[in-house]
Amino acid sequence: MFKLEARPQPSQVMSLASPLIALALTVLIGIALFALLGKDPAKGLQVFFVEPVKNARALSELAVKAVPLVLIALGLAVCFRSNLWNIGAEGQFILGALAGGWVALQADAQSSRWIVVAILAAGVLGGMAWAAITALLRDRFNASEILVSLMLVYVAEMVLSYLVYGPWKDPQGFNFPQTITFAAPTKIPRLFDGMRANVGVLIALALVAVFTAFLFRTYRGFALQVGGLAPAAARYAGFSSRGALWTALLVSGGMAGLAGALEAAGPLGQLTPYVPVGYGFAAIIVAFVGRLHPVGIVFSAVLMSMFYIGGELAQSRLGLPKALTGVFQGLLLFTLLACDTLIAYRIRWTGSAKP
């Protein structure tokens, strides 16, 4: 029979192979799922893994969805490496969209294109302010950052609903809960004419390089990670646990807020109750599939974006519910958790079981 045996030390090979094995298992389970639903598995896999990358326009849409996931997951990676569990990035994303949207609402057709910088800066500050609530309650009252950050997501959603149904509602919008369409100068510049991919792609890639250097080449990044892995050693070395707490949560909130501002002034062009689409929660999976490494996060964000687009295509072309996106995301997470067991354990054959 088979048994799990503890490894002398964690396997580096399995640490890298685990996400790939998890993806393969997700695909296999997906094939079985399509068959059970009475759909051709080949067509099902095509809408998830071929259609999102088949041409330039498809790649542009893939980038639109991947950028917020990359940005949010970068911030979450800093938190998780610091042993801080920020589960409320979705709320920080919403506040970033609100803050950036407020700046955009002040603009008109004569505004300078430089207002885009102010919109993005406001988004960062909005996300940081929302994350600061969690940091304050954890710092002063030792409140669980998991519960506080998660509950603040619902508060953020209520704030968004209040504004788009009330003070910010477009008076010419036929009573729909939405703001006016942002003025042209506030729109995030696009990379190519006729495609929706914008400069957020370049910002995300630049920040991947910045976060890689920060986490693995700077004293501050080292201090954050030591504080997460070995708090006692961090205190002995003189690293500030309070500093690590505030830095990690503010960085994470700022990145989520930046993603929210890019989304509001980019693909959306206005604020509606549908600003939150789950990016903040999906980015948790992205961060772990990417092994909390900025480069790995890029690849896992692209994969997660394929799930988003595949879910939409499965709804329109195969008649399947859009919730299939969440099914694939969940499968990837749970198969990853299962495969990660093999990092610290290995499977051994011990012979036939005794009667």
Side-chain angles (χ1 to χ4, degrees):
M1 62 180 295
F2 292 101
K3 64 175 287 189
L4 289 176
E5 179 181 85
R7 296 180 185 272
Q9 58 185 16
S11 170
Q12 295 298 320
V13 172
M14 279 307 305
S15 179
L16 297 175
S18 179
L20 300 177
I21 298 172
L23 175 59
L25 291 174
T26 300
V27 171
L28 291 175
I29 297 172
I31 290 173
L33 184 60
F34 285 124
L36 288 172
L37 292 172
K39 305 297 181 181
D40 183 354
K43 290 183 179 179
L45 293 180
Q46 181 180 2
V47 299
F48 272 92
F49 298 104
V50 178
E51 293 293 326
V53 295
K54 72 175 184 178
N55 54 41
R57 185 174 297 278
L59 290 172
S60 172
E61 292 302 309
L62 192 69
V64 167
K65 295 190 179 298
V67 165
L69 291 173
V70 169
L71 294 174
I72 299 170
L74 286 173
L76 291 178
V78 173
C79 264
F80 297 157
R81 282 180 172 273
S82 305
N83 203 27
L84 289 166
W85 302 97
N86 177 16
I87 310 299
E90 184 81 351
Q92 295 143 25
F93 174 87
I94 296 170
L95 261 292
L98 287 176
W102 179 81
V103 174
L105 289 172
Q106 313 310 308
D108 55 31
Q110 284 71 47
S111 298
S112 167
R113 288 290 283 160
W114 285 101
I115 195 171
V116 169
V117 177
I119 290 171
L120 298 184
V124 172
L125 293 175
M128 290 176 70
W130 208 243
I133 299 174
T134 301
L136 178 65
L137 294 176
R138 167 64 190 273
D139 184 22
R140 299 297 295 273
F141 304 105
N142 200 32
S144 168
E145 73 274 13
I146 298 175
L147 295 177
V148 173
S149 61
L150 181 59
M151 292 301 101
L152 283 173
V153 173
Y154 303 104
V155 177
E157 290 177 348
M158 292 300 101
V159 172
L160 171 64
S161 293
Y162 166 73
L163 292 173
V164 298
Y165 278 93
W168 291 3
K169 186 165 71 172
D170 182 3
Q172 306 300 322
F174 302 99
N175 208 35
F176 284 100
Q178 61 190 28
T179 65
I180 62 172
T181 301
F182 299 153
T186 68
K187 301 297 179 65
I188 305 297
R190 296 184 178 183
L191 293 178
F192 306 102
D193 291 336
M195 298 185 187
R196 295 204 303 159
N198 56 46
V199 295
V201 175
L202 304 180
I203 294 172
L205 292 177
L207 286 171
V208 166
V210 169
F211 273 71
T212 301
F214 171 72
L215 288 172
F216 305 113
R217 292 291 184 271
T218 67
Y219 173 84
R220 188 63 176 172
F222 174 73
L224 284 173
Q225 295 182 76
V226 170
L229 293 172
R235 288 193 296 271
Y236 182 79
F239 300 152
S240 170
S241 58
R242 290 187 66 193
L245 166 70
W246 281 92
T247 299
L249 282 170
L250 291 181
V251 167
S252 182
M255 292 298 289
L258 174 61
L262 280 169
E263 189 75 5
L268 297 180
Q270 62 181 161
L271 296 174
T272 75
Y274 309 106
V275 168
V277 291
Y279 286 146
F281 296 116
I284 298 173
I285 304 176
V286 169
F288 279 105
V289 173
R291 284 294 178 253
L292 304 183
H293 192 290
V295 176
I297 282 170
V298 174
F299 291 102
S300 60
V302 170
L303 175 63
M304 195 64 64
S305 301
M306 293 171 73
F307 288 168
Y308 271 109
I309 294 174
E312 295 169 358
L313 294 176
Q315 182 183 30
S316 61
R317 298 186 183 182
L318 303 179
L320 294 173
K322 189 179 177 181
L324 202 60
T325 295
V327 171
F328 270 87
Q329 291 176 351
L331 283 174
L332 182 61
L333 176 61
F334 285 117
T335 53
L336 177 68
L337 293 174
C339 292
D340 277 355
T341 303
L342 299 179
I343 296 175
Y345 295 88
R346 56 189 172 194
I347 300 175
R348 290 290 300 272
W349 170 255
T350 60
S352 301
K354 294 181 179 181

mmCIF file of all heavy atoms in Angstrom, residues 9 13 98 134 159 169 188 199 212 244 255 312 332:
data_model
loop_
_atom_site.group_PDB
_atom_site.id
_atom_site.type_symbol
_atom_site.label_atom_id
_atom_site.label_comp_id
_atom_site.label_asym_id
_atom_site.label_seq_id
_atom_site.Cartn_x
_atom_site.Cartn_y
_atom_site.Cartn_z
ATOM 1 N N GLN A 9 13.917 17.254 3.920
ATOM 2 C CA GLN A 9 13.773 18.691 3.715
ATOM 3 C C GLN A 9 12.825 18.920 2.539
ATOM 4 O O GLN A 9 12.666 18.038 1.685
ATOM 5 C CB GLN A 9 15.123 19.353 3.440
ATOM 6 C CG GLN A 9 15.863 18.799 2.233
ATOM 7 C CD GLN A 9 17.236 19.420 2.086
ATOM 8 O OE1 GLN A 9 17.761 20.033 3.010
ATOM 9 N NE2 GLN A 9 17.826 19.281 0.916
ATOM 10 N N VAL A 13 12.184 20.723 -6.278
ATOM 11 C CA VAL A 13 11.643 20.269 -7.563
ATOM 12 C C VAL A 13 10.114 20.240 -7.508
ATOM 13 O O VAL A 13 9.434 20.740 -8.405
ATOM 14 C CB VAL A 13 12.197 18.877 -7.926
ATOM 15 C CG1 VAL A 13 11.490 18.327 -9.171
ATOM 16 C CG2 VAL A 13 13.692 18.948 -8.164
ATOM 17 N N LEU A 98 -13.095 53.877 -6.706
ATOM 18 C CA LEU A 98 -13.867 55.038 -6.262
ATOM 19 C C LEU A 98 -13.008 56.293 -6.201
ATOM 20 O O LEU A 98 -13.422 57.371 -6.657
ATOM 21 C CB LEU A 98 -14.486 54.762 -4.892
ATOM 22 C CG LEU A 98 -15.658 53.781 -4.842
ATOM 23 C CD1 LEU A 98 -16.079 53.542 -3.399
ATOM 24 C CD2 LEU A 98 -16.827 54.296 -5.660
ATOM 25 N N THR A 134 -7.449 48.008 8.280
ATOM 26 C CA THR A 134 -7.063 46.666 8.739
ATOM 27 C C THR A 134 -5.771 46.722 9.534
ATOM 28 O O THR A 134 -5.651 46.095 10.598
ATOM 29 C CB THR A 134 -6.898 45.728 7.534
ATOM 30 O OG1 THR A 134 -8.132 45.661 6.812
ATOM 31 C CG2 THR A 134 -6.494 44.333 7.981
ATOM 32 N N VAL A 159 -20.565 51.154 0.025
ATOM 33 C CA VAL A 159 -20.191 52.540 -0.291
ATOM 34 C C VAL A 159 -20.345 52.784 -1.790
ATOM 35 O O VAL A 159 -20.888 53.815 -2.227
ATOM 36 C CB VAL A 159 -18.745 52.822 0.161
ATOM 37 C CG1 VAL A 159 -18.291 54.190 -0.335
ATOM 38 C CG2 VAL A 159 -18.629 52.752 1.678
ATOM 39 N N LYS A 169 -24.909 59.411 -9.234
ATOM 40 C CA LYS A 169 -25.684 58.837 -10.339
ATOM 41 C C LYS A 169 -25.842 59.837 -11.470
ATOM 42 O O LYS A 169 -26.114 61.021 -11.250
ATOM 43 C CB LYS A 169 -27.049 58.366 -9.843
ATOM 44 C CG LYS A 169 -27.851 57.632 -10.918
ATOM 45 C CD LYS A 169 -29.013 56.852 -10.338
ATOM 46 C CE LYS A 169 -30.113 57.761 -9.848
ATOM 47 N NZ LYS A 169 -31.313 56.977 -9.469
ATOM 48 N N ILE A 188 -7.488 55.787 -19.797
ATOM 49 C CA ILE A 188 -6.139 55.234 -19.798
ATOM 50 C C ILE A 188 -5.695 55.005 -21.243
ATOM 51 O O ILE A 188 -6.420 54.365 -22.016
ATOM 52 C CB ILE A 188 -6.091 53.901 -19.024
ATOM 53 C CG1 ILE A 188 -6.633 54.085 -17.607
ATOM 54 C CG2 ILE A 188 -4.669 53.351 -18.986
ATOM 55 C CD1 ILE A 188 -5.852 55.033 -16.747
ATOM 56 N N VAL A 199 -1.933 51.006 -21.255
ATOM 57 C CA VAL A 199 -0.596 51.122 -20.671
ATOM 58 C C VAL A 199 -0.497 50.417 -19.317
ATOM 59 O O VAL A 199 0.595 50.292 -18.767
ATOM 60 C CB VAL A 199 -0.187 52.600 -20.513
ATOM 61 C CG1 VAL A 199 -0.068 53.267 -21.870
ATOM 62 C CG2 VAL A 199 -1.162 53.341 -19.620
ATOM 63 N N THR A 212 10.304 42.267 -7.755
ATOM 64 C CA THR A 212 11.348 41.239 -7.726
ATOM 65 C C THR A 212 12.592 41.779 -7.033
ATOM 66 O O THR A 212 13.181 41.119 -6.172
ATOM 67 C CB THR A 212 11.694 40.781 -9.150
ATOM 68 O OG1 THR A 212 10.519 40.255 -9.781
ATOM 69 C CG2 THR A 212 12.762 39.692 -9.126
ATOM 70 N N ALA A 244 6.753 46.123 9.583
ATOM 71 C CA ALA A 244 6.444 45.108 8.580
ATOM 72 C C ALA A 244 4.938 45.026 8.340
ATOM 73 O O ALA A 244 4.480 44.896 7.195
ATOM 74 C CB ALA A 244 6.990 43.750 9.030
ATOM 75 N N MET A 255 -1.517 48.503 -4.253
ATOM 76 C CA MET A 255 -1.523 47.788 -5.533
ATOM 77 C C MET A 255 -2.945 47.436 -5.962
ATOM 78 O O MET A 255 -3.296 47.546 -7.137
ATOM 79 C CB MET A 255 -0.674 46.526 -5.403
ATOM 80 C CG MET A 255 0.817 46.801 -5.219
ATOM 81 S SD MET A 255 1.544 47.671 -6.622
ATOM 82 C CE MET A 255 1.515 46.369 -7.838
ATOM 83 N N GLU A 312 -16.704 32.969 -20.070
ATOM 84 C CA GLU A 312 -17.623 33.796 -20.856
ATOM 85 C C GLU A 312 -17.952 33.129 -22.190
ATOM 86 O O GLU A 312 -19.109 33.126 -22.636
ATOM 87 C CB GLU A 312 -16.996 35.169 -21.083
ATOM 88 C CG GLU A 312 -16.810 35.980 -19.798
ATOM 89 C CD GLU A 312 -15.962 37.217 -20.006
ATOM 90 O OE1 GLU A 312 -15.481 37.420 -21.148
ATOM 91 O OE2 GLU A 312 -15.766 37.980 -19.043
ATOM 92 N N LEU A 332 -8.358 24.510 -9.685
ATOM 93 C CA LEU A 332 -6.926 24.799 -9.693
ATOM 94 C C LEU A 332 -6.399 24.989 -8.277
ATOM 95 O O LEU A 332 -5.323 24.479 -7.930
ATOM 96 C CB LEU A 332 -6.654 26.050 -10.537
ATOM 97 C CG LEU A 332 -5.185 26.454 -10.677
ATOM 98 C CD1 LEU A 332 -4.379 25.354 -11.366
ATOM 99 C CD2 LEU A 332 -5.057 27.758 -11.458
#
